[in-house]
């Protein structure tokens, strides 16, 4: 799991190319300050502090309480486990346990 600090409105982008970061007070307003875009909190009348704000949340529910983003983009899916391979692995473990129980004279307990 990747752990990068949530950058607030400049946080990771979702499937529709918009930020997943949201303000619970709906007070986030992009403004131009000099030659860069700044996200302004109209509720506090100050610049947005991002994940440190108590009203900040992630639309994908991928922000940890410490402010880290755990969102995985669509192309970065985990490889799916083969269920048959898992079953065979568990069956081998059960057979091994049966052998140990038979050695101890407890073969009837499984």
């Amino acid at each position: 799991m990747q752990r990068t600090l949530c950058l607030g409105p400049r946080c990771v982008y979702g499937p529709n190319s918009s930020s997943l970061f949201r303000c619970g007070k709906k007070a986030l307003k992009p403004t131009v300050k000099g030659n860069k875009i700044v996200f302004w909190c109209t509720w506090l009348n100050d610049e947005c502090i991002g994940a440190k704000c108590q009203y900040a949340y992630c639309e994908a529910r991928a922000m940890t309480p410490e402010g880290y983003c755990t969102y995985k983009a669509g192309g970065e899916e985990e490889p799916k486990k083969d269920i048959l391979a898992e079953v065979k692995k568990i069956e081998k473990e059960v057979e091994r346990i049966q052998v140990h129980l038979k050695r101890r004279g407890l073969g009837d307990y499984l």
Side-chain angles (χ1 to χ4, degrees):
M1 170 171 46
Q2 71 183 35
R3 288 178 54 99
T4 56
L5 195 60
C6 182
L7 303 172
R10 291 184 182 85
C11 193
V12 69
Y13 290 97
N16 60 353
S17 299
S18 65
S19 177
L20 296 172
F21 179 84
R22 297 287 182 260
C23 175
K25 290 286 187 181
K26 295 185 170 61
L28 204 56
K29 178 182 172 188
T31 57
V32 177
K33 189 175 187 180
N35 60 351
K36 65 179 185 174
I37 296 174
V38 176
F39 291 90
W40 198 257
C41 175
T42 58
W43 191 63
L44 292 175
N45 202 20
D46 197 8
E47 193 171 336
C48 177
I49 58 174
K52 297 177 199 168
C53 180
Q54 65 180 346
Y55 300 109
Y57 69 94
C58 178
E59 195 171 272
R61 289 161 179 67
M63 188 181 351
T64 64
E66 296 86 28
Y68 288 99
C69 180
T70 59
Y71 181 76
K72 289 186 178 183
E76 299 179 23
E77 292 182 18
E78 293 181 12
K80 297 191 180 199
K81 295 181 181 178
D82 183 24
I83 194 162
L84 294 176
E86 292 290 321
V87 169
K88 288 179 182 178
K89 183 177 171 184
I90 292 171
E91 284 177 350
K92 286 182 183 179
E93 290 178 20
V94 169
E95 288 175 11
R96 192 178 54 170
I97 291 170
Q98 283 177 340
V99 168
H100 287 292
L101 287 174
K102 283 183 181 177
R103 285 184 189 165
R104 305 236 185 249
L106 304 170
D108 298 333
Y109 287 102
L110 190 61

